[in-house]
């Protein structure tokens, strides 16, 4: 499969040496918002039911500046499909997701990434769960390799032990590896290590890129990335959720809202709208992260193409969608074009 690619096309590590690499994530939340995926189980059945929708979202993210087309296999693992009674569709959903992503990578010049994630069955004290996790990862990684992945991502993993299993399976393929951890409210991995120590251990274990994704917004992820930068020598990743988290509520799961009227009486995961970051906040994160040496960047759950475009532009890129970046100079009341009517500008100034 990989032979269909242009051999001269730079891979992940070459691109990181040259500059920033952007990886758009957040497919679960975006497709749920669009009405193609059910919140709760969050299983990406849309890959089989509406593949054209997944293809379009990949295209939108690439046009906005994503260098990576990440196959939508997040939560397409055996445990999740068993939960909804569709375990028989396991291989089909993985291969279909990889083939959709691969078609966009081929036509748009992006990198195809295979993807594995938290299994939700890992238990530090249960060796049988470790074996089950390994088998789940081996299945998905095997299909990713078959379908021509350029590199492999293990993401949103909250246990160092589970991340180490993921890394071992991925490294056995010889492909470049990215491992990003999810740091919850306590500020450590669920099996104890601080994020900087866990990332250093994964780096020492051979991961090509280590870092954080999901759970934390820009304001509460950046300080952790600074600590990781002090401990790690190699390429680092930072992919926050686009929500306004803070010191008291550092993760989007911990956000509270007295006006929230969701059935769960909490914003996460279906009433987060009041907390969404603007594109300008994502731009500021991108620049601050770059300044401390975070070259692999992206936005996770909740990301829209406008967030990705803003990040790309902040890092000096000019993606196709930049053609439509805001230009207020010709707005009827906020602009400064000489053809605009003065009475409209005066009117809006008084609002």
């Amino acid at each position: 499969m990989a032979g269909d690619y242009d051999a001269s096309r730079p891979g992940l590590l070459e691109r990181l040496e040259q500059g920033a690499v952007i990886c758009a994530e957040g497919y679960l939340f975006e497709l749920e918002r669009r009405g193609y995926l059910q919140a709760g189980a969050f299983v990406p059945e849309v890959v089989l039911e509406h593949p054209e929708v997944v293809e379009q979202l990949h295209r939108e993210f690439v046009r906005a500046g994503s260098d990576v087309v990440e196959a939508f296999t997040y939560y397409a693992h055996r445990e999740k499909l068993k939960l909804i009674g569709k375990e028989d569709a396991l291989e089909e959903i993985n291969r279909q997701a990889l083939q959709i992503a691969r078609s966009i990578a081929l036509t748009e010049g992006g990198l195809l990434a295979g993807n594995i994630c938290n299994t939700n069955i890992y238990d530090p004290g249960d060796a049988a769960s470790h074996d089950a996790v390994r088998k789940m990862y081996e299945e998905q990684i095997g299909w990713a390799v078959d379908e021509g992945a350029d590199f492999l991502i293990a993401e949103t993993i909250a246990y160092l032990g589970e991340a180490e299993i993921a890394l071992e399976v991925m490294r056995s393929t010889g492909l470049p590896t990215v491992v990003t951890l999810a740091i919850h409210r306590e500020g450590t991995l669920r099996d104890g290590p601080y994020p900087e120590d866990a990332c250093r251990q994964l780096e020492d274990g051979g991961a090509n890129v280590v870092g954080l994704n999901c759970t934390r917004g820009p304001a509460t992820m950046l300080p952790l990335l600074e600590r990781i930068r002090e401990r790690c020598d190699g390429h680092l990743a930072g992919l926050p959720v686009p929500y306004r988290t803070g010191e008291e509520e550092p993760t989007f799961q911990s956000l509270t809202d007295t006006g929230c009227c969701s059935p769960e009486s909490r914003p996460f995961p279906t009433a987060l709208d009041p907390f969404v970051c603007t594109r300008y906040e994502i731009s500021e994160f991108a620049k601050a992260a770059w300044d401390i040496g975070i070259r692999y960047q992206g936005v996770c759950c909740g990301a829209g193409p406008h967030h990705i475009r803003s990040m790309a532009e902040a890092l000096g890129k000019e993606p196709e969608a930049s053609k439509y970046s805001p230009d207020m100079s010709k707005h009827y009341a906020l602009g400064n074009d000489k053809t605009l009517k003065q009475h409209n500008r005066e009117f809006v100034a008084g609002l």
Side-chain angles (χ1 to χ4, degrees), residues 27-39 42 270:
Y27 291 88
L28 282 174
F29 272 42
E30 182 63 15
L31 289 168
E32 192 277 333
R33 280 193 296 240
R34 296 185 183 192
Y36 292 98
L37 190 147
Q38 187 175 53
F42 282 114
T270 56

Side-chain angles (χ1 to χ4, degrees), residues 12-23 67 209 218 221-223 225-226 229-230 234-240 281-298 310-317:
L12 174 65
L13 302 182
E14 290 80 10
R15 294 186 190 213
L16 285 170
E17 291 298 328
Q18 295 167 6
V21 171
I22 295 177
C23 177
D67 300 295
V209 183
M221 180 176 282
L222 192 62
L225 292 173
E226 291 172 343
R229 177 73 285 171
E230 292 176 358
H235 293 301
L236 299 186
L239 301 92
E281 290 170 284
I282 296 301
S283 175
E284 290 304 306
F285 168 84
K287 290 183 284 189
W290 175 262
D291 286 344
I292 62 170
I294 312 300
R295 291 199 162 201
Y296 183 106
Q297 295 195 30
S310 185
M311 174 170 278
E313 292 174 344
L315 295 174
K317 297 173 180 284

Side-chain angles (χ1 to χ4, degrees), residues 23-26 70 74 115-118 153-158 178-184 199 210-217 221 224-225 228 237-241 251-253 285 296-301:
C23 177
E25 295 187 341
E70 184 174 0
Y74 188 96
N115 169 260
I116 55 177
C117 67
N118 51 305
I153 299 169
E155 63 166 309
T156 325
I157 299 181
V178 176
V179 183
T180 51
L181 305 172
I183 307 302
H184 292 282
C199 284
V210 297
L212 308 178
N213 83 296
C214 208
T215 62
R216 290 176 176 248
M221 180 176 282
L224 298 185
L225 292 173
I228 293 169
L239 301 92
V241 293
T251 66
F252 70 157
Q253 294 98 334
F285 168 84
Y296 183 106
Q297 295 195 30
V299 188
C300 202
C301 297

Side-chain angles (χ1 to χ4, degrees), residues 233-256:
D233 301 320
H235 293 301
L236 299 186
L239 301 92
V241 293
Y243 297 105
R244 292 175 176 170
T245 55
E247 186 174 346
E248 295 300 316
E249 297 172 343
T251 66
F252 70 157
Q253 294 98 334
S254 64
L255 290 170
T256 58

Side-chain angles (χ1 to χ4, degrees), residues 20 195 306:
H306 66 302

Side-chain angles (χ1 to χ4, degrees), residues 78-138:
R78 186 169 295 278
E79 185 65 19
K80 277 290 188 178
L81 291 176
K82 181 179 179 180
L83 179 68
I84 64 168
K86 295 187 177 180
E87 199 171 356
D88 290 345
L90 177 66
E91 181 172 355
E92 182 184 9
I93 195 171
N94 276 269
R95 288 195 183 275
Q96 176 92 312
L98 286 154
Q99 289 165 10
I100 293 169
R102 184 170 176 274
S103 70
I104 300 301
L106 280 168
T107 57
E108 304 293 338
L111 295 173
L112 169 60
N115 169 260
I116 55 177
C117 67
N118 51 305
T119 64
N120 303 323
I121 65 168
Y122 179 83
D123 181 342
D126 180 4
S129 76
H130 305 178
D131 292 337
V133 166
R134 183 180 302 278
K135 290 177 182 177
M136 288 167 61
Y137 287 156
E138 287 173 343

